Structure formats: C-alpha cells, structure tokens
Amino acid sequence: QVHQVESGGGLVQTGGSLTLSCATSGRTDMIYHTGWFRQAPGKEREFVAAISWTVGNSYYADAVKGRFTISRDNAENTVYLQMNSLKPEDTATYYCATNTYYTGSYLRGYDFWGKGTQVTVSS
C-alpha cells in the first residue's frame, strides 16, 4: 500500500501562485508514477500532470502547460505541483495519486489516491 497526503491548497487571486505538496508513505519502493488530478464542482476529475519516480520525466495537460511544474524529492518521498499564473478555471479540489506500472493520464491507471486539497482562485 501507498499513502498520500496533499497539502498547500488555499485561496489565491487570479495571477497568483501556490505550491501543492504530496507526502507519500508506505511502499514507496513500488511507485512508478505520481500524478496530480483535479475536480471542479459538477465536473469530472481530470488529469493535470504526472512525473516518473525513476527517470524523472514529466508530462502535463494542455490547460496547465507552461504554468504548472511538477517535481519530486525522492529523499523526502514528496511530489510538488508549483502553480503559477492561476486562473479562476483552476479552482478545484486537487488530488495526488500514484501507480506501480502505468504511464499516462487515465484515472484508472492510478492505484492509490489522497483525499485532496482545495484550491480556489478568485477573479
């Protein structure tokens, strides 16, 4: 089992920045990729970004490319999501998820999920 706890959410104005953290524990030796997803009220959960724990390559949804940066600290077992130039449409609950075998953006490819952290961007 792998456990994640997200933190760093909050209220920010349009154009502001936030950094989310995903603290991971348990069988971290099993982790292949960690991803960030988000879900706005009334909408489906969607992929934001993901990063490999082995080679470190990362990939992003088009909606956040150039504004968000995902990174990891393997020694601290923590994955970060630096969010810049935030927009009201970025308002959502942000979830961290890990998998043991999958590369991609599909929710079903991720096995272990955190409970989320709320990000609200005011206009």
Side-chain angles (χ1 to χ4, degrees):
Q1 287 284 337
V2 179
H3 305 279
Q4 287 93 202
V5 177
E6 302 95 336
S7 62
L11 174 64
V12 65
Q13 291 185 334
T14 296
S17 299
L18 281 175
T19 299
L20 306 183
S21 299
C22 173
T24 305
S25 60
R27 288 293 307 275
T28 57
D29 58 303
M30 298 171 55
I31 298 173
Y32 186 56
H33 279 206
T34 291
W36 284 98
F37 295 79
R38 67 186 182 185
Q39 188 167 18
K43 295 187 177 181
E44 294 187 352
R45 195 170 298 188
E46 64 178 6
F47 171 78
V48 175
I51 189 167
S52 164
W53 278 58
T54 54
V55 298
N57 58 300
S58 56
Y59 41 102
Y60 300 87
D62 288 343
V64 305
K65 207 171 288 184
R67 300 188 297 123
F68 291 11
T69 302
I70 189 170
S71 62
R72 78 197 193 294
D73 183 334
N74 284 22
E76 296 293 329
N77 291 329
T78 301
V79 173
Y80 302 96
L81 185 68
Q82 172 68 43
M83 306 186 295
N84 298 326
S85 303
L86 283 162
K87 305 175 183 180
E89 50 264 44
D90 295 318
T91 295
T93 300
Y94 284 70
Y95 298 89
C96 172
T98 58
N99 68 54
T100 60
Y101 65 96
Y102 172 72
T103 300
S105 60
Y106 288 107
L107 274 67
R108 291 185 178 181
Y110 291 81
D111 307 297
F112 306 104
W113 291 79
K115 294 184 178 181
T117 185
Q118 178 67 36
V119 172
T120 303
V121 184
S122 63
S123 57

